[in-house]
Amino acid sequence: MQPVRINFGLVLTVIAGLATITSGEIRYKIIDLGNFPGNDSSRAQGINAAGDVVGNASIDGSQHAFLYKNGVLKDLGTFGGQRSYAFDINDAGQIVGSTTTAAGVPYAYRYQNGAITNLGKFDAYRINNSGQVIGTFLFGTQPTRWHSVVYKDGQLIDLGTLGGNSAWVYGINDQGDIVGQSGTGTFNERDSEIYRGFVYRDGQMTSLGTLGGYDSLARDINNLGQISGWAKITTAFRPDFDTHPFLLNAVGDVMKDLDTVGCCTTDAVAINNLGQIVGYSDHLPGGDPHAFLYQNGQIGDLNFLIDPASGWLLRGATDINDSGQIVGYGRSPSGSEHAFLLTPVPEPAAALHLVVAAAGLLSRRRRMR
């Protein structure tokens, strides 16, 4: 007989992922990723399956890309330029972001194990596990236009637009499906161009619609094809002004309005393969935004799911992996903006059931010997 092996980490992750959102429960342990000596701000942007985090932090008035791995915040430098930004990391440890040459010329980079590759003159935002990189580049100046690109096998592919002058990309899954926002070339009654979220698949860009207002933006797409983002809504008091987060389970489906945890402006920034969504929402008009988590049909303020004595205000969540770990930025106990990492902790009742189940399995294992 083969011994029975219990993957406690996986069990705890599943328990945390299936739990409902209830205010007042400590559901996450928070880790302050800190800052570099003599400086006071940092912001996390991406996390991979191993829990490695990338972002940027201030150093002497500039910005440096960082990698947080095994409890250590590593300065990746500026790669010879004035500043650098790290936006994403895949499961192979490849990091992408934007920097400049010593002469100030911007370019996208891919970094791995100390080696840097110049990908071209564009801003790189995301990289999938196939090594495809997406970003945006300046396309002409009269008028100013931005186009979205995907870097694949050493080539840059222009994704085009939905009919307008500009388009931006924000998310890519492992199948190479890409989401973003594009101008449509059509205008509303205020003579403002209408912008729509899109998905780019098999060489075709498709508009995703809205929640009743004119504009929308697609932020992220998981491997199941679920898409998160924001769309404007229409109310009697603020027509086509407020934004709500949305979930689109498949292209062609109706957008699901996820509501907000406060008011006004909400953005669903990232979605994992379990359908958990994180982002930020204005808490009060003119006040600090609050980071949120959406799962199992509920949206909740992440500030209610950490220890209230921590002294943190979580202002924005930027990414979530399939273990439920969340990264973002907020006001730390020192009063400065710091990057954070949230790791799920089991609920007491769930932990008790887990112990009982584990004891039963261990007893069974002994009898099999």
Side-chain angles (χ1 to χ4, degrees), residues 14-21 27 247 256 274-277 293-299:
V14 171
I15 290 170
L18 295 179
T20 57
I21 298 174
R27 293 271 306 284
L247 168 63
K256 180 178 182 180
L274 300 178
Q276 295 173 298
I277 298 172
L293 167 69
Y294 172 88
Q295 64 182 15
N296 301 324
Q298 294 182 311
I299 189 169

Side-chain angles (χ1 to χ4, degrees), residues 4-241:
V4 178
R5 300 184 183 277
I6 305 169
N7 188 332
F8 288 97
L10 178 59
V11 172
L12 293 179
T13 296
V14 171
I15 290 170
L18 295 179
T20 57
I21 298 174
T22 305
S23 297
E25 296 179 355
I26 299 177
R27 293 271 306 284
Y28 291 91
K29 177 182 72 174
I30 184 166
I31 298 174
D32 185 344
L33 303 193
N35 55 279
F36 296 124
N39 297 272
D40 62 1
S41 68
S42 60
R43 180 175 288 204
Q45 300 285 2
I47 184 171
N48 66 9
D52 303 328
V53 182
V54 295
N56 51 280
S58 61
I59 291 187
D60 300 329
S62 183
Q63 292 289 321
H64 285 209
F66 73 70
L67 168 64
Y68 179 87
K69 185 180 181 69
N70 298 324
V72 177
L73 189 70
K74 179 181 179 180
D75 180 5
L76 300 183
T78 62
F79 312 113
Q82 300 171 345
R83 62 184 61 87
S84 64
Y85 299 88
F87 293 118
D88 200 16
I89 180 170
N90 66 12
D91 293 346
Q94 296 175 313
I95 300 168
V96 293
S98 300
T99 186
T100 59
T101 65
V105 179
Y107 68 93
Y109 71 84
R110 182 179 61 220
Y111 173 95
Q112 186 176 25
N113 299 325
I116 183 171
T117 302
N118 185 329
L119 304 182
K121 193 176 178 181
F122 69 102
D123 294 324
Y125 296 141
R126 294 292 178 188
I127 182 170
N128 65 11
N129 286 326
S130 300
Q132 294 172 298
V133 180
I134 59 169
T136 303
F137 77 101
L138 186 62
F139 184 81
T141 57
Q142 297 296 328
T144 299
R145 291 184 283 180
W146 294 89
H147 274 207
S148 302
V149 295
V150 57
Y151 177 91
K152 181 180 180 181
D153 300 327
Q155 293 185 330
L156 277 177
I157 301 171
D158 188 339
L159 307 187
T161 75
L162 289 172
N165 287 323
S166 296
W168 299 264
V169 287
Y170 298 102
I172 183 172
N173 64 14
D174 290 338
Q175 287 78 45
D177 301 328
I178 299 167
V179 294
Q181 184 190 53
S182 172
T184 62
T186 58
F187 296 81
N188 61 26
E189 67 273 8
R190 296 187 298 274
D191 203 31
S192 297
E193 186 173 10
I194 296 171
Y195 290 86
R196 291 289 171 85
F198 70 79
V199 61
Y200 181 89
R201 177 181 292 160
D202 299 326
Q204 182 70 35
M205 184 179 287
T206 303
S207 176
L208 299 178
T210 73
L211 289 173
Y214 285 117
D215 299 333
S216 61
L217 182 150
R219 283 284 188 192
D220 201 12
I221 182 169
N222 66 15
N223 290 338
L224 301 178
Q226 294 176 302
I227 299 169
S228 66
W230 63 255
K232 288 186 176 180
I233 64 171
T234 298
T235 67
F237 301 102
R238 297 158 69 89
D240 198 43
F241 185 83

